[in-house]
Amino acid sequence: MNPFYEQVYAVVAQVPFARVISYGQIARLLGRPRGARQVGRAMRLCPDHLPWHRVIRADGSVAGGQYAPLRRAMLEAEGVPFLPDGRVDLARFGVRHLPPQSGGARSSEK
DNA sequence: TACGTGACTTTGG
DNA sequence: CCCAAAGCCACGT
């Protein structure tokens, strides 16, 4: 397997509970700002031990084609609320840097 | 080796 | 605010 894929899996595995990240975000962390699609391709392999359901689009909408609704349910089960638009509030649940802390993502503030 | 496709992102109308 | 088009990278055929 190419190192890039392993890197993608590593990042996704580091994503904490009740938190989401976008394909482009992961790609950027790996040094491939244009590799968002390749991240999606890597996710397509769907490693069972990975929280692949925490990986969504940059706009907050859930991808995954046939499994999109399933992933949405999994996220809600973790405590990630979905907006009526069918999107996640990346401003509060979008991981900015790892490890993620309450900084900016706290639901008990302002 | 070349063409087509896609779990994406960003910019323009 | 919503819709459409272009750009990019890898993999499959």
Side-chain angles (χ1 to χ4, degrees):
Chain A
M1 185 75 77
N2 290 339
F4 180 69
Y5 279 50
E6 295 299 319
Q7 290 286 87
V8 172
Y9 301 144
V11 173
V12 175
Q14 296 345 294
V15 176
F17 188 84
R19 208 51 61 81
V20 297
I21 188 169
S22 65
Y23 295 93
Q25 178 95 45
I26 296 171
R28 221 173 303 187
L29 291 172
L30 301 181
R32 301 285 190 301
R34 311 296 167 187
R37 306 179 77 152
Q38 276 47 264
V39 174
R41 202 167 284 279
M43 298 312 301
R44 188 186 196 196
L45 303 180
C46 283
D48 300 353
H49 63 98
L50 284 178
W52 50 278
H53 56 276
R54 291 180 191 153
V55 183
I56 63 178
R57 286 183 177 172
D59 63 338
S61 60
V62 180
Q66 176 176 236
Y67 292 96
L70 173 63
R71 297 169 66 183
R72 188 172 64 215
M74 294 170 77
L75 288 170
E76 289 186 288
E78 291 194 349
V80 179
F82 272 71
L83 301 175
D85 323 50
R87 298 187 297 184
V88 179
D89 188 349
L90 296 178
R92 295 183 297 177
F93 294 91
V95 171
R96 283 185 235 243
H97 72 108
L98 305 173
Q101 56 230 300
S102 314
R106 42 198 170 258
S107 43
S108 306
E109 199 218 323
K110 166 45 183 353

